[in-house]
Amino acid sequence: MTGQLSENQQGRNNLAVAACAVGLVSLLVIAAAAMGLIPLPVTTMNPLLISLLVSGCAVVLGGMALKKIKTDGQHGRGLAIAGCALGAIGLVIASLIARTLSQLAG
């Protein structure tokens, strides 16, 4: 097998795809809450908490994918980086919104 990838190395890393998808979902939840499609009461910041958890999952999945891609030689490095970046952006935005709403509440 000179110069050929094994069967495991040929495909795209599933964790990278999941990280990118979860990162996009976290930003969609934030956008839906900002547009008023999801109610965002000041007392129960449920959409923001969900978005914080989902964003954190995107960062973790992206990091796991990058590590696996480095060791196994699979494709999907860009998706893993995008998942990490989208998750980090989601964490920052949701944290800022939660902090602002908590200051307005009391």
Side-chain angles (χ1 to χ4, degrees):
M1 288 181 49
T2 57
Q4 292 180 348
L5 295 175
S6 69
E7 185 69 29
N8 188 30
Q9 294 172 328
Q10 289 178 354
R12 183 170 288 122
N13 187 292
N14 292 334
L15 287 174
V17 175
C20 192
V22 170
L24 283 172
V25 167
S26 71
L27 291 182
L28 288 174
V29 169
I30 293 171
M35 290 188 299
L37 299 174
I38 299 174
L40 194 62
V42 177
T43 56
T44 63
M45 294 180 273
N46 288 337
L48 290 177
L49 294 176
I50 291 169
S51 181
L52 284 170
L53 289 173
V54 172
S55 297
C57 288
V59 173
V60 170
L61 284 173
M64 290 171 47
L66 284 172
K67 183 176 179 181
K68 186 127 175 98
I69 287 168
K70 187 176 182 179
T71 59
D72 291 349
Q74 292 179 323
H75 300 287
R77 185 173 185 268
L79 287 172
I81 292 171
C84 285
L86 291 171
I89 291 168
L91 282 171
V92 169
I93 293 173
S95 298
L96 289 174
I97 292 172
R99 183 174 179 195
T100 303
L101 287 177
S102 66
Q103 287 177 350
L104 290 176

